[in-house]
Amino acid sequence: MARIDLDHIRHAYGAKPKSEADYALKEVHHEWNDGGAYALLGPSGCGKTTLLNIISGLINPSEGRILFDGTDVTHLTTQQRNIAQVFQFPVIYDTMTVYDNLAFPLRNRRVPEAEVDRRVKEIIEMTGLGGWAKKTARGLTADQKQKISLGRGLVRSDVSAILFDEPLTVIDPEMKWVLRSQIKRLHKQFGFTMVYVTHDQTEALTFADKVVVMYDGQIVQIGTPAELFERPRHTFVGYFIGSPGMNVLPAEIDGARAAIGDQSIGLNFQPKIEAGAKTELGIRPEFISLGREGMPVAITKVEDIGRHKIVRARFADRLISIVVDEDGEIPAEPRVTFDPKAINIYADSWRVGEEA
Amino acid sequence: MEKTWNNKAWFMVLPVLVLVAFSAVIPLMTVVNYSVQDTFGNNEFFWAGTDWFLEVLESDRFWDALTRNLIFSAIILAIEIPLGIVIALNMPKKGIGVPICLVLMALPLLIPWNVVGTIWQVFGRVDIGLLGRAVASLGINYNYVQNPIDAWVTLIIMDVWHWTSLVVLLCYAGLVSIPDAYYQAAKIDGASRWSVFRYIQLPKMKRVLLIAFLLRFMDSFMIYTEPFVVTGGGPGNSTTFLSIDLVKMAIGQFDLGPAAALSIIYFLIILLLSWIFYTVMTTSDAQG
Ligand SMILES: Nc1ncnc2c1ncn2[C@@H]1O[C@H](COP(=O)(O)OP(=O)(O)O)[C@@H](O)[C@H]1O
Ligand SMILES: [Mg+2]
């Protein structure tokens, strides 16, 4: 178990990166606390797998250093780093039995056979592969194979960290839930540092204490689920977290007021904007109230999703979403007000704070 | 569902049937015909039954040639299969090296048998051949015309040179189909180089290896042109394989009956051995 520091890591797959766009990882400077459970969340192609492979030593970063507990491991092999990693697609040794597959990482490290047996049996029980232990792994279904893959990642008890790369993609929803809670339990029990990659926000939010959101080769925000929800540092986080995502509207900022189309909204702070920046106002659908007062909107659609209704409406020539309680009424001449505390202002997509 | 019979379909395959008949069935039946009859010329034939078969099976000449064939094939397989695997494992997987290696590997395969034979026949000659002279200058007494061991060594090296590439290319095709994730997982699991070979690469190559094995077996068992060109079956009978013997019998001595019987026996041996290899290797595949 270890604290992992990523010191100004950049990575390009091509040999001679010329522009920023050639980097699959633009710049990652971050530390993962010892024993933390992190979820790495981001759309496909944003560099999550690349980052994991850099941590585990499967690829060497073009620039930057990696430290485990303060020791530079940048040039150490995967073996020496002692990391467990579960891949997105199942990897099994299909001439071996399920049991031998699970024992493989331990036997390679010369763990005594009695200990191997104890650990493997634990994993077999956890994954529910009991009946298959003695069978060759070849004929198994995709989700059984993925469980073996997952099991091989969990079977070692002495690892510095366990990295999961979308481990449950091919597993059915019910089993997903079971396995995810098993992983969480292992985390509580043994205190491994865990990094869990996913592009599913509920999975991320339920698994982790800290969610790391990546976008286009960068970490755009690290925070608790609540922080990500209330104060998205980047408009992407606003869109990506929450369902429906945050409303982001182009706005002219003038002192402590924001103008959207012909509507003017009072802010409770004065954003610090540099000249020439593209400015936007972000507000979550949950913090817009629909009623008889405020700014006029034209409702285009109402979706009932059980506890809430999602109202799609046209506001100052933009489409916005509003979350309304199930029994909340929708007036004939609807108007909206934005909760000033929940308004975020963005300059060139990044959230801006108050003028000093 | 109702099956539709379309008699036109038969008409469509007719050309192929005719072709196969002329190229395979008719010659084969002619051979069968010769093998059970005797002739003294004038197109007069007498029923000979199994006489020719018995004659062939009872002759030392047959068993000696068969033994040579089996030893030759065993040596060829024992060298070419492992060597092919080792070369394939060490070929580059990406970059400019790939096409270069592939072309180099394919080159020997493109050279016709008799040309290969001629090349080596000259190459190995003690008086003018590069190899022959080089080996002789090392103080080794090498002469494939007079020494049976030297003749065998020459034939084996020649075959290895000519055909190992085939094994390499087949294995390489199996190897490049392995996704990177397997090697990555092996690194994470701390697998040794040997384990990677044993549990990842070998299982993926198994199918192509089976094909390589069968092709190399059948081909080496039917070897004809090279010994014919290089050693002519000698010195003595030391490189007289079944095929060479067959031609001597049929064309040299014009013993059509025994030659036809030998052809059929030869054919059946290859068929039988290939079937045995195939069965053994595929059942072990199903179990393992
Ligand atoms: N082996 C590779 N060679 C070249 N480019 C790659 C390679 N692997 C990934 N990339 C590129 O790097 C970027 C990040 O990929 P990846 O880390 O796999 O994203 P994610 O796991 O978030 O989906 C993508 O644009 C992808 O095309
Ligand atoms: Mg990925």
Side-chain angles (χ1 to χ4, degrees), chain A residues 6 15 21 49 57 77 101 158 165 216 219 243 268 279 284 307:
Chain A
L6 301 175
T49 302
T77 61
N101 257 280
D158 63 336
D165 196 350
D216 193 21
I219 291 182
S243 164
N268 62 359
T279 49
R284 292 221 171 258
R307 295 215 332 267

Side-chain angles (χ1 to χ4, degrees), chain A residues 220-239:
Chain A
V220 288
Q221 186 166 8
I222 301 166
T224 61
E227 285 165 350
L228 297 181
F229 187 77
E230 285 158 21
R231 294 281 173 250
R233 267 193 65 208
H234 189 276
T235 49
F236 169 77
V237 181
Y239 292 125

